[in-house]
Amino acid sequence: MCEAGYDLKLLLKNEENIITETKWGKSEADRCPYAWEKLYIPYFSQSGFWKEVDFSKAAKRGYMENGECKISGDVVFNFGKNKRYKRNQKFEYFAGLLERDFAEHNYLRYLQELEDCNALNYSIYNLSFMPVTGALNNFKGTNRLMNEENGQKLDRGDKFIYRINDFYENKSMEHIIFSNTHGRKSKTATAEENTQKLKNVLLTFLDKLNDVNGYCKYMYLIDDKKYIRKLVEEGQKPIVTGCDVVRYMKLAEEYWMIKYNKINEMM
């Protein structure tokens, strides 16, 4: 039997912290003005790390700049919600594993938990900063992170942090996190030269964060080192069974509760 997760009623009842389509308008939920005004500017900007960054135009633009590196928003743990559909292939994949591997009673119980996780997909507790320069955001959402999961693009926050930790332990411009960095030919440089320039900008920014703990502290608003280690460990595991789905939900729920407590503390 898999371990039960957290009670999400506390997070679900605070609807102002859940970004609905009426709030995000034409932008994506993770970079819309509401996300900047409700999360990024009031809480992330408190850190001394961002003290020299101009946040004044971020809500309108959907990004801000740290040096030459553009920083926007990202959904950390994806359960499938998007503009057009309440569910998508991620949700159906998770639900299918639960239905396959659990008897009806437990399946319905875990399906409700999955529904709750999906409802919090675009909550302020599930958003983070993400470097756009160097296309690190595209790397997170592509096949580079899937490998084991039956061809599914699950866009997993834990697997992304596992890759980030691996980068800090094995720093190289050829690391897989740069695999989606592609420059275009310009009047003054070749595509290869511009690709290298983008890699250098991203590398310079990541160097400022020192290690995976610094990355999570300033990009995720998470400074619980024990939990960060758990992200790294869980990110190496596939999601191919019902129990894997339950484990992944619990990992996301723990993240949200840590962030909920952090935001309340910063208030």
Side-chain angles (χ1 to χ4, degrees):
M1 186 63 185
C2 305
E3 275 189 82
Y6 290 74
D7 185 350
L8 300 179
K9 292 186 181 68
L10 182 67
L11 305 184
L12 288 165
K13 73 177 183 180
N14 197 346
E15 294 183 1
E16 71 171 14
N17 288 335
I18 298 175
I19 304 175
T20 59
E21 190 167 349
T22 57
K23 294 173 183 172
W24 77 60
K26 295 180 180 180
S27 306
E28 295 297 322
D30 53 14
R31 62 195 65 183
C32 70
Y34 193 87
W36 283 94
E37 293 161 4
K38 193 70 181 176
L39 173 67
Y40 301 134
I41 293 174
Y43 299 112
F44 281 73
S45 66
Q46 287 189 35
S47 167
F49 181 82
W50 303 108
K51 65 182 178 181
E52 296 181 3
V53 171
D54 181 5
F55 283 86
S56 62
K57 298 179 182 178
K60 184 177 180 179
R61 290 176 173 176
Y63 68 89
M64 49 80 170
E65 295 170 302
N66 185 290
E68 295 183 83
C69 191
K70 289 183 179 180
I71 310 294
S72 191
D74 184 62
V75 175
V76 180
F77 291 93
N78 279 270
F79 290 94
K81 205 170 194 179
N82 58 28
K83 276 191 176 183
R84 299 179 186 174
Y85 312 106
K86 290 185 178 180
R87 302 176 176 182
N88 68 4
Q89 79 276 4
K90 299 181 188 73
F91 185 98
E92 299 302 338
Y93 176 69
F94 294 144
L97 293 178
L98 294 175
E99 184 176 19
R100 185 194 70 188
D101 292 347
F102 294 112
E104 183 177 2
H105 173 73
N106 285 326
Y107 162 65
L108 293 175
R109 169 194 164 196
Y110 288 134
L111 181 63
Q112 181 57 57
E113 187 176 355
L114 182 61
E115 293 276 11
D116 290 343
C117 287
N118 195 37
L120 288 164
N121 205 72
Y122 294 149
S123 75
I124 66 169
Y125 311 111
N126 197 32
L127 302 182
S128 72
F129 275 159
M130 173 65 76
V132 176
T133 301
L136 199 58
N137 54 324
N138 294 335
F139 164 74
K140 179 173 177 277
T142 61
N143 290 5
R144 302 286 182 180
L145 285 180
M146 75 183 189
N147 300 327
E148 317 92 348
E149 285 139 340
N150 301 325
Q152 301 295 315
K153 297 179 183 179
L154 299 181
D155 197 0
R156 289 172 50 185
D158 58 339
K159 188 168 282 192
F160 176 71
I161 290 301
Y162 157 64
R163 295 293 194 189
I164 289 293
N165 181 67
D166 185 68
F167 160 74
Y168 280 113
E169 291 184 345
N170 305 278
K171 277 191 181 180
S172 166
M173 295 288 277
E174 304 307 313
H175 194 277
I176 193 172
I177 68 166
F178 295 100
S179 57
N180 279 75
T181 306
H182 302 295
R184 295 180 180 179
K185 183 180 179 181
S186 64
K187 292 181 180 180
T188 57
T190 65
E192 291 77 13
E193 288 170 336
N194 284 329
T195 295
Q196 191 61 37
K197 180 179 178 181
L198 290 172
K199 285 184 176 183
N200 286 331
V201 170
L202 179 56
L203 179 64
T204 297
F205 174 73
L206 292 175
D207 275 343
K208 294 179 183 179
L209 298 165
N210 294 322
D211 58 18
V212 70
N213 293 320
Y215 189 97
C216 289
K217 180 176 181 178
Y218 300 118
M219 303 298 283
Y220 278 35
L221 210 64
I222 295 286
D223 55 9
D224 184 327
K225 292 182 180 180
K226 185 177 179 180
Y227 178 75
I228 293 168
R229 179 49 48 186
K230 185 185 291 187
L231 283 176
V232 173
E233 292 170 356
E234 294 292 316
Q236 300 173 63
K237 302 173 184 178
I239 300 178
V240 292
T241 69
C243 269
D244 292 335
V245 176
V246 175
R247 189 189 74 239
Y248 184 64
M249 290 192 293
K250 185 177 180 183
L251 186 70
E253 292 158 12
E254 186 175 359
Y255 174 88
W256 299 334
M257 293 308 301
I258 291 172
K259 200 157 187 175
Y260 169 83
N261 291 328
K262 181 68 174 179
I263 286 173
N264 282 349
E265 175 188 319
M266 295 175 77
M267 280 183 180

